[in-house]
Amino acid sequence: KIKRGSKVGVVGRTGTGKTSLLQSLYRMVYVRGGDIRIGTTSLYSLPVEDSRRLFGVVPQDPYLFEGTIRSNLDRYNEYEEARLKEALNTVQL
């Protein structure tokens, strides 16, 4: 169980299930048993786009998706340009 609003890092040696967990959270693999719940809601009862918005990933080796830098920062076009610039300034980019 993870408290609402918490940020969690998943680390471990090769083969410990980090990628499998990520793929399950992002619904990239079929899960044969068990469930992942957000509160009382099954992750699998949500539309896949909605469930994927619940998680963020900071990869060890970052990459850019096809498109603009803006689309990479804000995949769902949810934020004003000023907020994105503020975030970039915060991380000195």
Side-chain angles (χ1 to χ4, degrees):
K1 292 184 180 184
I2 301 169
K3 289 185 179 181
R4 174 181 282 247
S6 296
K7 293 176 178 37
V8 176
V10 179
V11 297
R13 297 178 57 95
T14 301
T16 58
K18 300 178 302 293
T19 300
S20 296
L21 173 62
L22 179 70
Q23 289 175 338
S24 297
L25 291 173
Y26 276 92
R27 296 178 53 188
M28 299 168 72
V29 295
Y30 176 77
V31 178
R32 294 185 204 175
D35 197 6
I36 299 171
R37 293 187 153 311
I38 308 299
T40 59
T41 304
S42 171
L43 188 65
Y44 304 108
S45 70
L46 299 172
V48 70
E49 295 83 13
D50 293 346
S51 64
R52 288 179 179 171
R53 287 180 185 221
L54 298 171
F55 306 100
V57 176
V58 179
Q60 182 175 338
D61 297 312
Y63 55 90
L64 294 175
F65 294 102
E66 184 176 328
T68 65
I69 291 175
R70 189 193 199 306
S71 70
N72 273 267
L73 292 171
D74 183 14
R75 298 299 294 165
Y76 301 105
N77 202 27
E78 297 178 56
Y79 301 102
E80 298 289 328
E81 185 138 347
R83 182 140 184 224
L84 296 176
K85 285 183 179 181
E86 180 183 338
L88 289 171
N89 285 334
T90 298
V91 296
Q92 300 177 357
L93 291 175

